[in-house]
Structures are given as C-alpha cells and as structure tokens.
Amino acid sequence: PEEEVVVTAPDVVGTYWGNLDISMKPDNSDQETVIGNGIAKFITISQVSDTEVKMELKEFELFINGNILKFGDIVIDKCAVKKETDASTFTGQQDLTFQGDAAALGTCATSIEGTVQSGNATMNIQVKVPTLKQTVKVTFSGVKQVEESGKD
C-alpha cells in the first residue's frame, strides 16, 4: 500500500502580524546585544507543496551604531512543516545574499524555526554574518490575520 501523504503546509499558511526582537551575538561569545525590540512587522507564509512553505519577512533592517542597515527581504523558499500533537512546526535554511547596503555582508547562512498553534506564531530566525563575525537573531511573535471574505 502507498504511504499516505500527510498534508501539513496549509496549517501554517497565512500572514502574521506581530513583533520582532532582534539581537546580535558575536561568533566567539554567548553575550547577546539587543539592538531592537517590539518592532511591528508582518511575516508571510505561503504554500510551496503539501509539506513545505515559504517564509517572507519584507524590508528587514537593523539599526546598528546609529545607522540603519537595510537588508531587504529575508526569504526562505522551502521550510519543512511537521504536525505535532496540538501545533505545527516548520524549519528551513538557506544561504542569502542581501540587496542594498547589506550586499557588502556577503553570503549569510540563514535559518528559521517556527511554531504555529491556534493562529499564534513564534519564529526564531538566525542570520549568520561572516563579515561581521556575528549572528543576527530575530525572534518573532505574532497572530495570524483573518482574511476578509465577501469583498472583491
């Protein structure tokens, strides 16, 4: 008998509105420096396959040393979605190169892990920046936005 494919992706698909907390951690240290908290942002998760989604955080920027460093969009094209007992989790990683000012940062290994439970999402995004010898850690906590129906 064929193995039944468990369709997991739709459980996490949606646009989530919430807050980002951002910190930086040097490669050789456990000391984290908070560089932003409570930054209001949307994160969009769209379906790629039965068991995979794409995560998009648009127009990400950091305020470092008195300057705004614009990264552009953080996009991870394929995150695997697993169904847990009462929640869904997803993980993904991708090497990203950014636009604009952040292009100088080179290729950054970026990973995400997230959990969605009853429309509430938490996500941890890590962007390893070799040129700065630091990892940018982003924690997102948000709520799924309800699509309005009946409008065209």
Side-chain angles (χ1 to χ4, degrees):
E2 279 187 44
E3 207 176 303
E4 194 179 324
V5 174
V6 179
V7 179
T8 54
D11 293 334
V12 300
V13 166
T15 298
Y16 297 85
W17 170 248
N19 291 306
L20 300 179
D21 292 334
I22 306 168
S23 61
M24 307 263 298
K25 186 178 91 56
D27 289 351
N28 53 4
S29 161
D30 290 329
Q31 291 297 102
E32 288 185 26
T33 307
V34 174
I35 55 173
N37 52 21
I39 299 161
K41 262 322 203 185
F42 283 109
I43 287 185
T44 305
I45 295 180
S46 51
Q47 188 164 341
V48 178
S49 72
D50 285 348
T51 57
E52 291 169 319
V53 291
K54 171 179 177 181
M55 186 284 305
E56 294 179 86
L57 168 56
K58 298 277 194 198
E59 294 170 6
F60 181 70
E61 53 189 38
L62 292 181
F63 194 70
I64 310 180
N65 303 334
N67 296 309
I68 292 178
L69 180 60
K70 292 183 190 296
F71 279 72
D73 300 344
I74 295 180
V75 178
I76 297 182
D77 292 315
K78 282 193 175 172
C79 303
V81 184
K82 291 194 175 81
K83 203 159 175 57
E84 311 290 338
T85 312
D86 54 359
S88 295
T89 59
F90 57 95
T91 53
Q93 54 197 60
Q94 195 164 329
D95 287 341
L96 300 181
T97 44
F98 297 101
Q99 305 301 312
D101 307 339
L105 299 176
T107 301
C108 301
T110 303
S111 64
I112 180 168
E113 38 189 52
T115 303
V116 174
Q117 187 171 7
S118 335
N120 293 310
T122 52
M123 297 177 217
N124 291 309
I125 303 168
Q126 299 205 16
V127 182
K128 211 164 168 42
V129 185
T131 48
L132 297 178
K133 294 188 167 54
Q134 300 229 32
T135 298
V136 178
K137 302 177 83 172
V138 180
T139 308
F140 175 82
S141 173
V143 178
K144 186 172 176 175
Q145 302 302 289
V146 179
E147 298 285 324
E148 290 188 30
S149 53
K151 286 188 178 170
D152 46 39

